[in-house]
């Protein structure tokens, strides 16, 4: 999905390396799809997707995403909250965003 021709690139794919996260996250809007590189076993493939919700009560840009557990989508988990700014897991692994 991230590399398809569908939709408009808000944050074009930056690669899959640890230092490849995009810097212009202020361009993101609620409803944008965000793509992550969470699992090194998937090699160059982006392996996780979420949807931007907007800003939380503390002013951090957040997304809701799927997860492997049975109780579905989450904006917080054992891996931390789904903030797209800062140095959390989702912020560090963000690689791309599309607007449909």
């Amino acid at each position: 999905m991230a590399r398809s021709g569908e939709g408009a690139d808000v944050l074009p794919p930056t690669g899959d390396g640890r230092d490849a996260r995009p810097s212009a996250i202020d361009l993101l809007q609620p409803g944008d799809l965000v793509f992550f590189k969470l699992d090194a076993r998937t090699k160059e493939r982006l392996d996780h997707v979420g949807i931007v919700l907007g800003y939380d009560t503390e002013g951090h840009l957040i997304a809701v995403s799927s997860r492997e557990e049975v109780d579905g989508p989450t904006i917080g988990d054992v891996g931390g909250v789904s903030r797209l700014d800062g140095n959390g897991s989702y912020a560090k692994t963000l690689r791309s965003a599309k607007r449909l």
Side-chain angles (χ1 to χ4, degrees):
M1 287 171 55
R3 293 182 174 104
S4 78
E6 299 298 319
D9 285 329
V10 177
L11 302 174
T14 57
D16 54 12
R18 292 186 77 73
D19 298 323
R21 80 186 203 185
S23 59
I25 66 165
D26 57 323
L27 298 174
L28 296 173
Q29 296 178 6
D32 288 344
L33 297 178
V34 283
F35 301 94
F36 303 91
K37 177 65 179 147
L38 294 172
D39 191 341
R41 297 173 296 176
T42 60
K43 306 209 185 308
E44 74 281 347
R45 190 184 75 202
L46 299 176
D47 52 50
H48 198 73
V49 65
I51 298 174
V52 176
L53 293 178
Y55 291 88
D56 65 12
T57 57
E58 296 175 7
H60 297 282
L61 190 61
I62 60 171
V64 65
S65 64
S66 61
R67 63 178 180 177
E68 293 180 3
E69 284 77 13
V70 295
D71 50 352
T74 182
I75 58 172
D77 205 340
V78 293
V81 295
S82 299
R83 291 180 175 163
L84 300 175
D85 57 355
N87 289 313
S89 178
Y90 287 99
K92 288 180 181 179
T93 60
L94 177 65
R95 294 295 177 265
S96 178
K98 281 216 177 221
R99 188 165 296 143
L100 299 179

